[in-house]
Amino acid sequence: MSLSEDADPSEQRAAARPAAATTQLSRVTFNRLELNRILNLYGRMVADGEWRDYAIDFLKDRAVFSVFRRASEVPIYRIEKDPRLARKQGMYSVISATGLILRRGHELERVLLVIDRKLAVV
């Protein structure tokens, strides 16, 4: 690749790596409001001594926020965002450690109530 004096080097660098740019765009992520709501819940549960660790995975087809009681265990809850289900059952779901879908819906706030209510009852 030769550089001419008129060419902007940043444009040529961007053209040289189109695969990396498309990889970033093809991942499902939580937006700022969704992540804020999840982390608020997480902070309250940590303060109550229920949860100790978390992991966030941004995959090609879904975003997953996993909650752990201890770092060495399997997640006790997974909060998933799957845009393919947005027009069906809803793109948000809370899944237990056994794989049981506790709640699914179109609004994250309502889906997270399944975890919030369990704390209130105890």
Side-chain angles (χ1 to χ4, degrees):
M1 177 184 286
S2 66
L3 289 174
S4 70
E5 292 181 13
D6 297 335
D8 182 10
S10 63
E11 290 176 6
Q12 292 194 5
R13 277 196 303 262
R17 56 185 163 103
T22 57
T23 304
Q24 289 292 345
L25 296 176
S26 66
R27 294 180 186 253
V28 177
T29 61
F30 292 109
N31 66 34
R32 182 179 292 244
L33 293 174
E34 294 164 341
L35 202 53
N36 188 32
R37 175 60 181 104
I38 293 170
L39 288 174
N40 282 340
L41 172 62
Y42 176 78
R44 282 187 281 127
M45 295 300 237
V46 168
D48 289 336
E50 294 290 320
W51 297 350
R52 302 239 190 288
D53 201 4
Y54 72 90
I56 302 176
D57 297 305
F58 299 132
L59 307 172
K60 190 184 286 189
D61 60 339
R62 67 187 187 277
V64 182
F65 187 95
S66 302
V67 177
F68 299 87
R69 193 173 313 257
R70 290 177 195 82
S72 61
E73 294 182 347
V74 296
I76 54 174
Y77 294 111
R78 289 190 333 255
I79 301 164
E80 294 192 2
K81 175 183 178 180
D82 189 345
R84 294 174 300 166
L85 300 174
R87 294 181 182 242
K88 297 177 184 175
Q89 304 106 335
M91 72 173 138
Y92 302 106
S93 58
V94 173
I95 303 169
S96 71
T98 60
L100 179 68
I101 298 174
L102 301 176
R103 181 167 288 176
R104 179 176 280 152
H106 297 281
E107 298 172 19
L108 179 62
E109 190 76 29
R110 294 185 60 123
V111 171
L112 291 179
L113 285 176
V114 72
I115 300 172
D116 271 343
R117 287 193 180 141
K118 283 189 176 187
L119 184 64
V121 172
V122 172

